[in-house]
Amino acid sequence: MSASVTQSWDELTEGLWRQNPTFVMVLGMCPTLAVTVSGVNALAMGIATTLVLIFSCLLVSLMRNIVPGEVRIATYIVIIATFVTVVDYLIQAISLELYDALGAFIQLIVVNCIILGRAEAHASKTPPIPAMLNAVGMGAGFTLGLLSLGIVREILGAGKLFGITLFGESFQPWVVMVLPPGGFFVLGGWLLIFAWWARRKEAGGAQS
Amino acid sequence: MSEQLPETQPAARAPAQSTPTGAMLRTLGLVSAICGLAIVSAYQGTLSAVKANKIIAQERAVFKVLPGAKSVDAYMIGSDGSIEVAREDAPNGVLRFFAAYDETGRLQGVAAEGAATGYADVVRVMFGYSPDCECIVGFDQVSSRETPGIGDKITVDKDFRANFKSLEAKLNADKSALANDIKVVKHGSKTSPWQIDAIAGATITSRAVGKGINDTARALLPKLVPQLEKIRSKR
């Protein structure tokens, strides 16, 4: 019993930390850089991707024994595209403003390599429940990555956090932060912090 | 950007003997059927909510450009040039507009959408036209992807917004065209009431706003104004 709990926990946390899609695997950089101009956009994109990831991984996992190897990529892409279309309609139904803000990047979830990567590398070899747990963790990890960019860029570039103005009238926004180069700056900054952290941990582990 | 999938082992997956064609077709057919069903049901399920959202968004935009408006009716110019109630199934190029009324049901103004290419992408704007002053009394952006901090000033720049308090859009004597095209001029060189003073540093976006409004006004107003009586009161 405890072994299976540990295993489930392992599946769930893999994406959150050890194999974080943004900071460790550096996957799905296109939405990471493009939509993270504000916290709300980042959060919405993260949730949308997570939903697609969970349902695609579930279906891929359920069908893992009947999909012939020759046509597996075609199958996965059709499954992923289906859930992206569904999420696309859902976002339109929830908020058109959000839909306009995310623009083409909702449709581009289809080619987000995290999803195809998880379907091919994990869900196609794993039973449904661990596959879904892993997808939840990966999705949460991706959302976390997007949020850590979105929040920093919104604070620096617009002086706001989730649309609430933080500083007074005199705040001069650091506009480059909400432009494409700002995405690279902030991503670079976060990768630097994570790399430094990982190295420090390694060094600490070697000493003890 | 190099992207790697650490756990992928294509060699292990490649089957030694090939799968029969029938099995492949069956699987693909099954997957397509499931996916098709999912997409169609999602479309049907969200259709009414999406439509309601679109109407709310449009009404909100109309209220923004025509302050004082309380209710909105959607109309279009039919193929014979007369005003008709807007229909969903109308062809794409049809001229649509909104008539806005105050509490008493009196016509406040007309709002319509215009679009023109800006710096990054098409800038879509909604503008309000008041038949009383024969002028444009407000505008708001519907969608744009202009550069933050530069092109997106069109919605906040006070001097630029002041252009649209009463921007002349009079028709000529025989009501066949605008007397003067609405024109965007360089910042600080506005001389006539039909000119728009551009934002310094965001001339391209300013021009897109002016062109979008002018194109729609030129096409719509000569057809609309002679029949204005038809929409004087709320339907």
Side-chain angles (χ1 to χ4, degrees):
Chain A
M1 179 63 206
S2 74
S4 78
V5 169
T6 325
Q7 210 177 354
S8 301
W9 182 247
D10 238 35
E11 290 280 9
L12 190 65
T13 53
E14 188 190 8
L16 273 176
W17 190 248
R18 271 173 298 128
Q19 291 288 327
N20 184 291
T22 311
F23 298 124
V24 180
M25 296 200 281
V26 200
L27 286 179
M29 285 299 107
C30 172
T32 305
L33 292 167
V35 301
T36 55
V37 293
S38 72
V40 174
N41 284 7
L43 189 64
M45 188 68 192
I47 292 173
T49 310
T50 306
L51 284 179
V52 174
L53 193 56
I54 293 171
F55 289 114
S56 321
C57 282
L58 174 67
L59 201 56
V60 166
S61 170
L62 284 173
M63 300 183 79
R64 71 188 187 285
N65 292 328
I66 61 163
V67 174
E70 291 92 335
V71 293
R72 65 180 197 282
I73 298 292
T75 317
Y76 301 160
I77 282 291
V78 171
I79 291 173
I80 294 166
T82 302
F83 287 115
V84 171
T85 314
V86 171
V87 166
D88 186 89
Y89 286 133
L90 281 181
I91 294 180
Q92 279 189 61
I94 294 167
S95 162
L96 279 179
E97 259 168 53
L98 190 64
Y99 185 75
D100 285 336
L102 295 179
F105 291 97
I106 301 173
Q107 286 93 320
L108 282 174
I109 297 176
V110 177
V111 288
N112 188 321
C113 31
I114 297 168
I115 300 172
L116 189 59
R118 288 333 280 171
E120 163 75 8
H122 193 268
S124 62
K125 304 166 194 158
T126 322
I129 293 186
M132 269 178 84
L133 279 177
N134 187 271
V136 170
M138 282 289 163
F142 184 59
T143 310
L144 211 68
L146 289 185
L147 264 181
S148 49
L149 258 82
I151 287 175
V152 171
R153 289 179 73 185
E154 194 179 357
I155 291 176
L156 297 179
K160 294 176 184 172
L161 185 57
F162 293 108
I164 301 158
T165 311
L166 292 181
F167 313 111
E169 280 280 305
S170 57
F171 177 75
Q172 271 296 322
W174 192 2
V175 173
V176 74
M177 282 304 169
V178 292
L179 297 179
F184 286 95
F185 294 155
V186 178
L187 180 66
W190 279 114
L191 286 176
L192 193 73
I193 292 172
F194 273 80
W196 170 76
W197 197 337
R199 192 170 291 185
R200 220 179 65 141
K201 226 171 113 185
E202 226 169 70
Q207 271 169 18
S208 61
Chain B
M1 207 180 315
S2 82
E3 304 197 320
Q4 31 177 308
L5 309 173
E7 291 171 40
T8 321
Q9 298 149 353
R13 291 292 313 245
Q17 70 275 49
S18 56
T19 318
T21 317
M24 283 197 254
L25 282 178
R26 236 188 347 261
T27 314
L28 286 175
L30 178 70
V31 171
S32 313
I34 296 173
C35 292
L37 198 70
I39 290 178
V40 173
S41 31
Y43 176 73
Q44 294 290 355
T46 54
L47 192 61
S48 58
V50 173
K51 262 191 196 155
N53 268 349
K54 281 192 176 146
I55 292 171
I56 292 170
Q58 251 164 356
E59 285 193 350
R60 208 178 286 157
V62 172
F63 292 155
K64 253 189 187 163
V65 298
L66 288 167
K70 286 284 172 287
S71 63
V72 174
D73 281 345
Y75 287 101
M76 63 181 199
I77 302 283
S79 48
D80 57 348
S82 64
I83 293 176
E84 289 172 25
V85 174
R87 286 192 316 267
E88 277 295 318
D89 57 342
N92 261 343
V94 78
L95 276 169
R96 293 172 182 278
F97 64 92
F98 303 91
Y101 303 91
D102 61 11
E103 302 94 330
T104 59
R106 207 182 69 88
L107 184 69
Q108 269 280 313
V110 171
E113 240 183 63
T117 311
Y119 188 73
D121 199 351
V122 172
V123 179
R124 283 172 60 209
V125 294
M126 172 83 83
F127 65 91
Y129 169 83
S130 160
D132 299 338
C133 70
E134 292 182 80
C135 63
I136 283 156
V137 290
F139 104 98
D140 198 45
Q141 102 180 0
V142 177
S143 70
S144 85
R145 303 218 180 290
E146 301 301 281
T147 322
I150 303 170
D152 71 348
K153 276 197 214 150
I154 51 169
T155 56
V156 291
D157 191 291
K158 283 197 186 77
D159 293 341
F160 187 66
R161 312 273 322 169
N163 283 307
F164 301 92
K165 285 208 175 101
S166 68
L167 180 68
E168 190 184 296
K170 281 196 171 72
L171 294 180
N172 60 9
D174 60 353
K175 296 202 186 298
S176 61
L178 285 183
N180 298 292
D181 270 351
I182 294 159
K183 248 189 123 144
V184 178
V185 294
K186 241 182 70 202
H187 182 68
S189 62
K190 172 172 171 153
T191 50
S192 316
W194 57 83
Q195 288 178 336
I196 299 171
D197 199 2
I199 301 174
T203 317
I204 296 175
T205 313
S206 308
R207 269 201 205 123
V209 172
K211 186 170 183 303
I213 294 177
N214 188 44
D215 287 355
T216 304
R218 264 173 60 163
L220 177 69
L221 294 182
K223 288 188 177 131
L224 167 72
V225 172
Q227 324 178 48
L228 216 50
E229 286 314 314
K230 283 190 195 170
I231 56 167
R232 274 288 175 205
S233 55
K234 191 163 166 52
R235 69 165 187 258

